[in-house]
Amino acid sequence: HVQLVESGGGSVQAGGSLTLSCSASESTSSGNCMAWFRQGPRKDREEVASIYTGSGLTHSADSVKGRFAISHDNSKNTLYLQMNGLEPEDTGIYYCAAEAMSVICTNGDCRCENYGSWGQGTQVTVS
């Protein structure tokens, strides 16, 4: 499995911004997705945003649309999550994921599930 290392977490006040990075040990397949998940205190893990690296198409959870943006730099094997307008509800551990076991494409829109590789997580605290 590809090794993933997240960075960029920290503590910010509500309304602030952070940019998370996820460095992959090797290039991931262009026919697959990378994603950011998070797990808040006493909450289940949820997918925040994903990107299909073949086309660059992205998907975001309703709770972060208009505030968060996912991107991927193929030349650096790095995934990013730009987070603006942070709210206390965004607090949690953010995980990077890659190598999905399931890729389903419909009319050019691809979604992925069951990721096989995960980073160790980076803490984001919004107060």
Side-chain angles (χ1 to χ4, degrees):
H1 293 294
V2 63
Q3 302 299 312
L4 303 171
V5 179
E6 303 97 335
S7 60
S11 297
V12 296
Q13 292 188 336
S17 299
L18 283 173
T19 300
L20 304 184
S21 299
C22 172
S23 178
S25 60
E26 59 190 75
S27 178
T28 57
S29 169
S30 62
N32 209 301
C33 300
M34 295 187 75
W36 288 99
F37 287 76
R38 70 183 179 188
Q39 186 164 17
R42 298 174 297 281
K43 295 182 180 178
D44 294 331
R45 186 174 64 189
E46 63 171 341
E47 182 174 313
V48 175
S50 66
I51 183 168
Y52 184 68
T53 56
S55 63
L57 285 175
T58 64
H59 294 280
S60 299
D62 288 343
S63 59
V64 306
K65 280 182 179 176
R67 300 188 298 122
F68 291 11
I70 187 171
S71 61
H72 182 252
D73 188 332
N74 290 326
S75 66
K76 296 181 179 179
N77 295 334
T78 301
L79 182 72
Y80 301 97
L81 184 67
Q82 175 66 45
M83 305 186 294
N84 300 320
L86 283 161
E87 304 168 350
E89 292 74 22
D90 297 318
T91 293
I93 301 174
Y94 283 68
Y95 300 91
C96 172
E99 298 186 313
M101 303 300 178
S102 175
V103 181
I104 301 174
C105 296
T106 304
N107 296 325
D109 183 19
C110 296
R111 292 180 178 266
C112 300
E113 296 178 350
N114 300 320
Y115 289 88
S117 296
W118 294 83
Q120 83 290 348
T122 185
Q123 176 71 45
V124 172
T125 303
V126 186
S127 60

